[in-house]
Amino acid sequence: MIAIGIEGTAHTAGVGVFSKERGVLSNEMSSYVPPKGGIHPREAANHHVDALAPLVQKAMEKAGISWNEVDVVAFSQGPGLGPCLRTAATAARALALSRSLPIIGVNHCIAHLEIGRAVTGCRDPALLYASGGNTQVIAFSNGRYRVFGETLDIGMGNMLDKFGRALGLSFPCGRELEALASKGKNLLDMPYSVKGMDVAFSGMLTAALELVKKHPVEDVAFTIQETAFAMLTEVTERAMAHVGKPEVLLGGGVVQNKRLQGMVKAMCDERGAAMWVPPGPLCADNGAMIACTGLLMHESGVRMRIEDTVVNQSFRTDQVDVTWR
Ligand code: ATP
Ligand code: FE2
């Protein structure tokens, strides 16, 4: 069984091919980088319009398969930016209709978890998902993926990017900030916002923008990372304890950060738990994870008509009936 998956929730257009028997066969992507400032949804969508057809072709070539071998077309149905989602959905509908293939809309957050289960050794992990737009701790319980904690305002990556842009770093700024933070030594005063199982980042951003006026930027970057990552580690640990999961899977672009990985790993070691991190391109937004999840759904009997493929910008993780577990 083989699926082709189309991702387009935010600034990355991605197309991947996933085989049940052979895993990821290809995973092509192209990201919209704004000339300056933040991401404009319509401009990102225009990028996807140009990028998707060549990406489909490249992904099929790299996978080395013919269209006869494809069983299902999957796409990211949400959550995400409306114009981007609609572009990916339109591409998926065109493909499915022209090739007479079934189509399946996939929840993007769940796809981060399923690709991790497919390519790492984890079986039933709590997922710490930290990307630009999303920050959630998710775990499977009673037939659904449940959100145990999440950001109450902006995503973790979004906060880092906003701070980085104020410093004049190039977008996305996470990697450069990580390098700066590794040179910082002094932990400054910064709001630590954990509310129950949820976190908040905008107060931290405001504080950081004030702190750089008086302190070395390396120390501020160091402080942001130490504070925000400690918050994420705390809520992840609490979710693991709550649902009794001895495994953590990391997902989303931010988890490529080595300091975050180190902190979560230390927490896991103390609990006798395991931490799993998929390879970089499978952590970030990508088409292979959409293909992988679409295939699981299809095999479990999920079917969608074209009318069911309307995108959902605020598609919740716990809205999906998990028929494949
Ligand atoms: P989503 O649509 O799921 O919100 P996204 O469009 O933000 O995803 P991702 O590739 O998952 O895409 O994540 C990108 C984010 O990851 C950016 O905010 C970027 O700054 C951040 N990031 C990338 N590398 C690092 C790093 N080493 N440390 C911290 N953050 C990083
Ligand atoms: Fe994502």
Side-chain angles (χ1 to χ4, degrees), residues 152 190-195 198-204 227 231 235:
L152 297 172
M190 190 164 280
Y192 184 95
S193 311
V194 174
K195 294 173 185 158
D198 296 324
V199 291
F201 295 117
S202 57
M204 182 179 292
T227 312
M231 286 159 48
V235 294

Side-chain angles (χ1 to χ4, degrees), residues 100-314:
S100 300
L101 287 167
I103 184 167
I104 283 202
V106 170
N107 178 290
H108 173 95
C109 308
I110 290 179
H112 276 290
L113 196 145
E114 290 302 351
I115 192 69
R117 290 212 309 143
V119 303
T120 72
C122 69
R123 309 181 71 162
D124 183 20
L127 170 75
L128 169 59
Y129 169 35
S131 65
N134 294 291
T135 304
Q136 295 186 331
V137 180
I138 301 168
F140 185 72
S141 169
N142 284 330
R144 301 234 159 176
Y145 283 115
R146 317 245 169 216
V147 179
F148 284 87
E150 65 188 318
T151 179
L152 297 172
D153 46 39
I154 54 178
M156 167 90 218
N158 206 315
M159 187 268 285
L160 293 174
D161 294 336
K162 283 194 163 130
F163 178 64
R165 272 207 315 271
L167 303 179
L169 305 183
S170 52
F171 177 89
C173 313
R175 201 174 300 272
E176 273 184 70
L177 276 176
E178 178 175 9
L180 276 177
S182 71
K183 296 189 203 114
K185 287 184 195 68
N186 299 309
L187 192 64
L188 308 167
D189 227 12
M190 190 164 280
Y192 184 95
S193 311
V194 174
K195 294 173 185 158
M197 307 271 268
D198 296 324
V199 291
F201 295 117
S202 57
M204 182 179 292
L205 175 63
T206 309
L209 293 172
E210 280 305 308
L211 284 171
V212 278
K213 294 177 186 162
K214 292 178 243 135
H215 297 274
V217 63
E218 291 83 0
D219 284 344
V220 183
F222 172 73
T223 303
I224 287 191
Q225 283 202 177
E226 293 303 300
T227 312
F229 294 166
M231 286 159 48
L232 293 182
T233 307
E234 182 187 332
V235 294
T236 305
E237 179 170 29
R238 211 168 309 147
M240 287 169 79
H242 186 74
V243 287
K245 309 267 186 207
E247 298 182 298
V248 174
L249 171 70
L250 302 186
V254 177
V255 307
Q256 296 171 84
N257 188 293
K258 291 284 177 277
R259 178 61 183 141
L260 175 58
Q261 291 183 10
M263 251 193 228
V264 175
K265 181 75 171 68
M267 177 272 284
C268 286
D269 287 348
E270 266 177 39
R271 301 180 55 82
M275 179 184 87
W276 303 93
V277 192
L282 293 175
C283 270
D285 289 352
N286 67 89
M289 71 180 190
I290 303 298
C292 165
T293 311
L295 196 56
L296 287 169
M297 294 171 75
H298 183 74
E299 285 213 290
S300 75
V302 177
R303 297 291 181 271
M304 288 186 185
R305 296 162 303 169
I306 291 291
E307 306 88 277
D308 304 324
T309 61
V310 176
V311 302
N312 181 353
Q313 289 185 61
S314 48

Side-chain angles (χ1 to χ4, degrees), residues 5-119:
I6 301 184
E7 159 62 31
T9 53
H11 66 268
T12 301
V15 180
V17 177
F18 189 91
S19 150
K20 186 187 174 190
E21 293 77 22
R22 294 188 287 146
V24 178
L25 301 184
S26 64
N27 196 22
E28 296 299 306
M29 58 194 85
S30 161
S31 287
Y32 169 71
V33 181
K36 66 175 201 282
I39 171 175
H40 192 297
R42 214 167 317 114
E43 277 155 25
N46 288 342
H47 162 269
H48 298 355
V49 169
D50 295 334
L52 280 173
L55 285 172
V56 167
Q57 210 164 5
K58 244 204 270 175
M60 287 296 289
E61 272 165 25
K62 286 231 171 127
I65 56 161
S66 69
W67 281 103
N68 305 335
E69 294 171 86
V70 177
D71 296 288
V72 59
V73 177
F75 71 99
S76 53
Q77 197 165 12
L81 308 170
C84 301
L85 289 171
R86 283 192 288 275
T87 304
T90 303
R93 287 183 204 117
L95 260 186
L97 288 171
S98 64
R99 305 270 170 194
S100 300
L101 287 167
I103 184 167
I104 283 202
V106 170
N107 178 290
H108 173 95
C109 308
I110 290 179
H112 276 290
L113 196 145
E114 290 302 351
I115 192 69
R117 290 212 309 143
V119 303

